[in-house]
Amino acid sequence: MYRSLPANPLTNRNIPFRGQNREDQRIQLRLRYNDRRYGIELYTDIETSSTITVSGITKDLLEFLCLDDIPPEVVSLVGVGLNGRYYVLKVTEKRRSLRDVGVTDGCTLYFEPENNAPPPKQCQLTVVSPDETDKIDFKWYTAKTTLAILLEYIIEQFSLQSISRDRIHLLTIAEELDISSDGKKRLSELNIHDRMSIYVQIIPPLVKTSTKEDTDVHVQCIYNGDKFIVNVPNTTTINGLKDKIQMECKDRTIIDFKLSNETKEELDLNDFYRVLKSFGIKRGQTVYATFRATTRKTQSLINNTQNSISTDSSLSSTPKTKHDRVMVICKFPTDNPVTFQISVRDTIIQLIREIKSRIPNKRLVLSEINSNDIHINLENDTFRCLADLGIKPNDKINAIMIDKSPIYSSIVSKQTTMSLKPDKQIKSQSTSRIPIGLTNLGNSCYMNSALQCLAHIPPLTNFFLESMDRTHMRDNEDENNDWNPYDAVGDVTGAYAELLWNLRKRDENNPDMYTFTPNRIKDNMGKKDSRFASSDQQDAQEFMTFLLDIIHQELKTKNKNDRNTIIKKLFFGEITSTVTCTACHKEDSTINPISSLSIPLNRQERRFWITFITKQGKDELTLVDVPIDGQVGHLVEAFAQKHNEPLLFYYVLVMLPDGEVDLNTPLSQITGDELIFMEQEERCDNIRPKPLEKPKTASTLDNCLEEFFSKEYLEDEWRCQQENCKKKVIPMKQLKLRTLPSILIIQFKRFSHENGLHQKIETFVDYPLEGLDLKRFLPSSSSSSSDDAIYDLIAVCNHMGSIFGGHYVAYAQDLSSSKNKWFKFDDSSVTSVKSSEYADEIISRDAYLLFYIRRDILYPITSL
């Protein structure tokens, strides 16, 4: 039944990562194209941005489905499917984003050509007969004609019905078409274009060279247009295989030898003494050897021309030295580097494939490739060869791997790897007073997000800038006056003051500046603690706390040990810890300073890395969140739903390294966070688990604070200090705020370590943008008025990803503007947040640090 789509019908859906930046959110979609007039039905699965326009996704559809002959202007988005329901869409403005029309993760989009759309373009192939004496024309459509249809046409036209299908081979001028694997693919997907020629070859029947065919590997040899089969055990070395093939070639010498496995993936033949079995080649499988065969005389001439070290025309058992090789060094965050060689004639895409085949785990992603001063563009240079980029033999290529974000968000912001924007765009940013971003120095997003949060705390920033403004105004009177007075306080304090100055100075001195590189503060923090000198990702809270502590110490030393620094005035309050004896009910209280509240979170969900091995042998890595009190069956169910294939639940076998896992196993018994799902040919006996009850109430900051300040029994025994008691009891403890800080920092303790398992707690906590009232957590005797205990949110530091790798971003309120606008700071990228999106952007399940300012001391800074 078709339904009209109500206003934004999908936004109530509970999707993972509720707080992820909607401007950068990656969503999984299925795109379907249906042309009823010509019987064309196609689909493709893609990952894209939620902010892509309807026009943009239409162009992607036509590109991915190889429908380049259809103008995007005549194709309309007519519907969207979700959870088995279809909604009609009427999109009149194609510049609207998918998010604006209500499309979310997991949707299926339906496209149809309009009534005035032209018919599909008809193309033509010239097919050459096996004996090359006859040619026929084959009419076909890019949108629907498959390789199997072409094969049937050829069999009928050339009367090849009596010949076994596996003996009929089709070739273009450049390569052979794989009929067995690609039969269902459209010709347009196989890079076949209009007016091309297809050559038909009939190979002789395969001659069995072994009576134990199933125990041998079948090597299909292709050279100079000829083919033959050799059978060898899977314990044969590469050298042994080449020797056997050489015997078949008799008086010809094989060169440019390459070997591919059953799925046509080329194997690395650097080690000629490696056996076939070590490549995963099993008995009975077919592999493919391609090479050129030259006469001995020709090969001798080639060897002489190339100054070969040997003039022997027979096949050597040792590979010849390559004079066009370069060394590739793969650098990993933790593991030792891996090196290999490649030719300068190879393309960048071949280099990338070689590098990816050596990545030790799927949590790493290729970040950068460079050679000396040459930086390779991983997007635009893929089809260029290394020599074209200026790389010469014997050069060294560095391939740098980094941890990837499991939610498709790079640790290093994309803007940091791009060149500067055009002047027009920079000026438009300056005109709209977008605050300045911070350049990522290599996994330094933790530092950038913490610095942006602190920089948007008005009283702290005013403290530094007022002194610098006065110094700056006196520069004309005293040329020797130091530009930064805080350099005399300390290295870190001077660097922090310099950063604040640069974040606010653009409008006065540099109108085209939209990002600042915080080299100085990172270098000085690294000198104080080696953790912050490395390019490894660190904890934003630990960095911020360490930074404030150093500034406090440097200011205190400069002011002759005056402890009442700006850091203490703003960030420190006092908390009372009261321990009550459960026997005599006497209380023992202590007062301690606090600079933040670390709030424990109740785990509601648990995250697993799923390696999914399909029936075709391909493996995919997927992140799945599931309620913590669930069973393995709930995990499989969530995985199937994430793939939009509910029936997949019945065809999955769950494995751990020590064996199969029962679907009824509680997740609490799974100690690790990695499982293997193997797709089965036949349906398993999997029984769907009972649905889990949803939490009755969502977590809120008020609830968390109530629990944090509530009474609790301590785990260990405690001896009462009262003279008339002195008993060992399990005491009761309660925390209460004694004095309130001007700036309240709340940390959600998202990173846990339980039973040897490190995990991130993904629990969503709802928190207020304004009016956080802490009066009830103060002692009843407190002299603070009600207004003195009200806080408003001014900044948030978010962590997206897992405990193994992720990305930090900051949200902060710019109080220098009249409307107190919120901005998102993603390293050098700074974007404004619409007021209508506060609930989804600023209030987030990724929130890690909250920065609240007491309302009675809030005042705007003049410029930032």
Side-chain angles (χ1 to χ4, degrees):
M1 179 178 179
Y2 288 178
R3 302 169 182 264
S4 295
L5 188 67
N8 229 1
L10 310 176
T11 53
N12 294 327
R13 179 170 175 242
N14 292 323
I15 61 174
F17 300 98
R18 175 173 178 259
Q20 183 178 350
N21 174 21
R22 297 177 68 183
E23 293 189 1
D24 295 333
Q25 184 183 4
R26 308 296 295 176
I27 56 177
Q28 304 282 342
L29 300 175
R30 172 163 290 187
L31 310 182
R32 287 189 173 275
Y33 178 80
N34 187 5
D35 187 344
R36 294 184 177 89
R37 296 175 301 172
Y38 298 96
I40 300 172
E41 291 188 31
L42 304 169
Y43 76 88
T44 184
D45 294 321
I46 71 166
E47 176 187 317
T48 188
S49 169
S50 61
T51 58
I52 190 173
T53 62
V54 173
S55 175
I57 197 66
T58 304
K59 293 178 181 178
D60 285 349
L61 165 87
L62 299 177
E63 179 182 351
F64 293 148
L65 293 180
C66 301
L67 301 176
D68 301 332
D69 57 309
I70 300 177
E73 296 79 17
V74 299
V75 176
S76 298
L77 173 60
V78 297
V80 59
L82 181 66
N83 295 332
R85 296 190 176 186
Y86 178 86
Y87 300 92
V88 175
L89 271 182
K90 294 182 180 179
V91 181
T92 57
E93 180 52 68
K94 292 189 176 183
R95 287 181 295 180
R96 295 181 66 189
S97 69
L98 296 185
R99 183 189 66 203
D100 292 338
V101 299
V103 174
T104 59
D105 187 59
C107 285
T108 299
L109 305 186
Y110 295 85
F111 297 83
E112 290 182 359
E114 298 175 359
N115 293 331
N116 61 342
K121 177 184 176 182
Q122 191 177 58
C123 302
Q124 179 175 305
L125 292 176
T126 299
V127 183
V128 182
S129 66
D131 57 4
E132 300 184 359
T133 60
D134 194 10
K135 296 181 181 179
I136 57 174
D137 292 331
F138 174 67
K139 308 286 186 181
W140 61 288
Y141 295 97
T142 58
K144 60 185 297 184
T145 306
T146 64
L147 180 59
I149 293 175
L150 172 62
L151 177 63
E152 293 301 322
Y153 181 82
I154 290 173
I155 291 174
E156 180 180 353
Q157 293 298 314
F158 292 135
S159 302
L160 305 177
Q161 292 85 349
S162 61
I163 298 176
S164 174
R165 299 289 179 93
D166 60 358
R167 293 176 54 201
I168 303 175
H169 289 238
L170 306 181
L171 300 92
T172 67
I173 193 66
E175 61 182 348
E176 180 178 354
L177 302 177
D178 190 344
I179 299 174
S180 60
S181 300
D182 299 334
K184 294 183 179 180
K185 290 185 178 181
R186 290 172 294 136
L187 298 180
S188 53
E189 296 178 86
L190 302 175
N191 293 321
I192 296 178
H193 308 291
D194 190 22
R195 303 294 175 180
M196 284 183 65
S197 296
I198 299 293
Y199 301 88
V200 183
Q201 285 191 355
I202 307 298
I203 65 170
L206 299 182
V207 180
K208 295 182 180 180
T209 61
S210 172
T211 58
K212 299 183 296 180
E213 182 178 355
D214 292 337
T215 64
D216 283 344
V217 175
H218 313 303
V219 184
Q220 185 175 113
C221 304
I222 306 170
Y223 77 102
N224 300 3
D226 296 330
K227 297 182 181 180
F228 62 89
I229 297 288
V230 297
N231 295 321
V232 296
N234 67 345
T235 55
T236 304
T237 65
I238 300 299
N239 251 345
L241 174 61
K242 289 184 67 177
D243 288 340
K244 184 156 188 175
I245 295 174
Q246 180 65 67
M247 293 174 62
E248 296 289 334
C249 292
K250 298 179 181 178
D251 59 343
R252 291 172 174 258
T253 300
I254 65 174
I255 59 175
D256 297 337
F257 181 80
K258 296 180 181 179
L259 190 65
S260 303
N261 62 15
E262 200 169 35
T263 59
K264 299 295 184 69
E265 294 175 338
E266 189 173 331
L267 305 179
D268 183 1
L269 305 184
N270 283 338
D271 185 355
F272 276 68
Y273 295 97
R274 189 172 173 181
V275 298
L276 299 178
K277 184 178 180 180
S278 68
F279 291 101
I281 298 172
K282 301 177 182 178
R283 291 178 296 182
Q285 287 187 342
T286 299
V287 298
Y288 303 88
T290 59
F291 52 88
R292 292 191 296 123
T294 66
T295 63
R296 297 179 185 273
K297 181 178 180 180
T298 303
Q299 181 61 29
S300 179
L301 290 173
I302 293 174
N303 289 342
N304 290 333
T305 303
Q306 296 180 341
N307 296 319
S308 173
I309 60 172
S310 173
T311 56
D312 184 3
S313 62
S314 63
L315 181 65
S316 173
S317 61
T318 304
K320 294 179 175 59
T321 303
K322 301 280 186 177
H323 298 287
D324 63 348
R325 314 299 275 182
V326 294
M327 177 71 71
V328 181
I329 305 172
C330 300
K331 300 179 179 180
F332 306 105
T334 55
D335 297 334
N336 293 327
V338 173
T339 62
F340 66 92
Q341 291 187 339
I342 196 168
S343 169
V344 293
R345 293 175 292 177
D346 288 328
T347 62
I348 301 303
I349 196 168
Q350 290 173 312
L351 171 62
I352 292 173
R353 287 172 183 166
E354 289 290 336
I355 293 171
K356 289 184 176 180
S357 69
R358 290 165 170 82
I359 294 179
N361 64 69
K362 297 183 180 64
R363 295 184 184 179
L364 296 176
V365 64
L366 179 61
S367 171
E368 180 183 350
I369 303 177
N370 63 66
S371 177
N372 298 325
D373 295 330
I374 301 172
H375 290 268
I376 296 174
N377 189 313
L378 300 182
E379 296 181 359
N380 299 331
D381 291 338
T382 50
F383 293 103
R384 300 180 66 185
C385 69
L386 299 177
D388 292 340
L389 298 173
I391 296 175
K392 302 175 183 178
N394 300 319
D395 280 354
K396 290 183 179 180
I397 296 176
N398 297 305
I400 301 172
M401 254 65 62
I402 61 173
D403 292 311
K404 70 177 179 180
S405 171
I407 58 173
Y408 315 109
S409 178
S410 174
I411 292 174
V412 179
S413 196
K414 291 181 181 178
Q415 285 78 3
T416 65
T417 60
M418 296 169 59
S419 58
L420 292 178
K421 309 293 184 189
D423 290 342
K424 292 183 180 179
Q425 184 167 347
I426 298 175
K427 290 177 181 178
S428 67
Q429 288 183 346
S430 179
T431 304
S432 60
R433 290 189 57 82
I434 296 290
I436 293 176
L438 294 173
T439 304
N440 193 305
L441 302 175
N443 289 351
S444 64
C445 55
Y446 70 92
M447 177 185 75
N448 291 347
S449 59
L451 290 174
Q452 290 286 11
C453 289
L454 293 176
H456 285 80
I457 296 175
L460 178 65
T461 298
N462 272 348
F463 172 81
F464 287 98
L465 294 186
E466 285 173 359
S467 295
M468 297 182 75
D469 280 335
R470 289 194 296 270
T471 303
H472 185 66
M473 288 192 311
R474 291 196 302 266
D475 280 347
N476 292 333
E477 301 174 6
D478 183 3
E479 294 182 358
N480 297 321
N481 199 345
D482 191 5
W483 179 82
N484 184 354
Y486 290 99
D487 284 340
V489 175
D491 292 337
V492 172
T493 304
Y496 182 71
E498 179 184 297
L499 177 134
L500 293 177
W501 178 265
N502 280 280
L503 288 181
R504 76 91 181 252
K505 76 173 186 177
R506 172 187 55 199
D507 292 332
E508 299 172 5
N509 301 329
N510 190 358
D512 288 342
M513 177 178 176
Y514 79 104
T515 185
F516 174 69
T517 304
N519 283 319
R520 182 183 174 191
I521 193 165
K522 188 176 190 304
D523 291 344
N524 281 283
M525 287 290 286
K527 293 175 183 177
K528 299 290 184 180
D529 191 321
S530 59
R531 289 178 300 167
F532 306 122
S534 72
S535 59
D536 297 332
Q537 185 171 200
Q538 303 296 334
D539 186 280
Q541 186 269 341
E542 293 178 0
F543 173 86
M544 178 198 67
T545 302
F546 190 60
L547 171 66
L548 293 178
D549 183 62
I550 292 178
I551 295 176
H552 170 69
Q553 296 297 334
E554 291 181 346
L555 288 170
K556 186 177 71 171
T557 301
K558 182 66 175 178
N559 295 330
K560 299 180 180 180
N561 288 324
D562 182 2
R563 296 177 178 274
N564 198 23
T565 68
I566 186 65
I567 304 301
K568 185 174 181 181
K569 288 179 181 178
L570 292 179
F571 294 95
F572 279 81
E574 291 179 326
I575 195 167
T576 302
S577 174
T578 301
V579 179
T580 304
C581 176
T582 52
C584 68
H585 303 291
K586 292 292 184 179
E587 296 181 348
D588 184 10
S589 297
T590 57
I591 299 174
N592 296 301
I594 58 161
S595 58
S596 65
L597 295 179
S598 294
I599 305 297
L601 297 180
N602 294 321
R603 185 190 298 276
Q604 295 176 347
E605 290 183 328
R606 187 171 166 189
R607 171 168 292 177
F608 287 88
W609 295 77
I610 306 300
T611 298
F612 180 51
I613 303 177
T614 66
K615 291 182 291 186
Q616 292 76 27
K618 298 181 179 179
D619 60 317
E620 307 166 357
L621 189 66
T622 305
L623 277 177
V624 179
D625 294 320
V626 68
I628 191 172
D629 57 348
Q631 301 173 342
V632 174
H634 292 107
L635 181 60
V636 178
E637 198 169 43
F639 175 82
Q641 291 173 356
K642 191 165 187 176
H643 280 69
N644 297 319
E645 297 183 38
L647 292 179
L648 184 60
F649 174 87
Y650 299 103
Y651 293 87
V652 167
L653 186 68
V654 182
M655 301 290 294
L656 281 172
D658 55 354
E660 183 179 350
V661 181
D662 189 280
L663 266 60
N664 294 321
T665 303
L667 294 175
S668 59
Q669 296 182 14
I670 306 297
T671 57
D673 65 347
E674 296 183 357
L675 289 168
I676 299 173
F677 286 7
M678 301 183 67
E679 186 180 12
Q680 305 297 297
E681 290 281 356
E682 299 181 359
R683 180 169 174 145
C684 305
D685 296 328
N686 295 349
I687 300 175
R688 288 191 179 275
K690 294 181 180 179
L692 295 172
E693 293 185 6
K694 296 182 178 179
K696 296 181 180 179
T697 58
S699 294
T700 66
L701 181 56
D702 279 343
N703 294 341
C704 292
L705 291 172
E706 287 280 1
E707 185 173 351
F708 183 80
F709 289 110
S710 64
K711 295 180 179 180
E712 62 175 344
Y713 287 99
L714 299 181
E715 295 181 358
D716 299 327
E717 282 189 333
W718 172 83
R719 183 180 293 278
C720 181
Q721 300 301 312
Q722 297 297 319
E723 289 295 334
N724 59 351
C725 182
K726 295 291 184 179
K727 293 180 180 179
K728 278 189 175 182
V729 296
I730 300 296
M732 184 176 291
K733 179 182 177 181
Q734 184 176 21
L735 300 174
K736 283 201 174 212
L737 290 169
R738 185 171 183 270
T739 60
L740 296 172
S742 299
I743 307 299
L744 175 66
I745 301 176
I746 295 176
Q747 176 196 18
F748 291 135
K749 298 175 71 173
R750 293 200 175 275
F751 305 110
S752 69
H753 178 65
E754 300 174 3
N755 302 321
L757 178 65
H758 294 271
Q759 279 211 330
K760 181 182 174 184
I761 300 175
E762 301 285 348
T763 302
F764 169 70
V765 180
D766 197 1
Y767 44 89
L769 290 172
E770 297 177 337
L772 175 64
D773 190 354
L774 300 184
K775 178 70 174 177
R776 63 189 184 281
F777 303 119
L778 289 166
S780 55
S781 59
S782 173
S783 60
S784 299
S785 66
S786 297
D787 292 339
D788 293 344
I790 304 297
Y791 286 81
D792 295 324
L793 189 70
I794 54 171
V796 183
C797 176
N798 282 6
H799 179 271
M800 300 177 293
S802 74
I803 198 169
F804 301 102
H807 183 53
Y808 285 96
V809 298
Y811 290 86
Q813 198 173 19
D814 182 13
L815 297 176
S816 65
S817 64
S818 58
K819 296 182 180 180
N820 294 349
K821 294 179 64 175
W822 281 84
F823 291 90
K824 177 189 174 185
F825 298 86
D826 185 354
D827 291 330
S828 59
S829 171
V830 181
T831 53
S832 61
V833 182
K834 297 179 181 178
S835 58
S836 60
E837 298 175 353
Y838 285 177
D840 291 321
E841 287 266 7
I842 301 169
I843 303 174
S844 161
R845 73 180 293 163
D846 296 321
Y848 181 43
L849 300 173
L850 306 180
F851 295 77
Y852 281 95
I853 187 168
R854 214 170 65 216
R855 186 175 291 178
D856 64 311
I857 62 103
L858 178 61
Y859 60 94
I861 59 178
T862 56
S863 60
L864 175 62

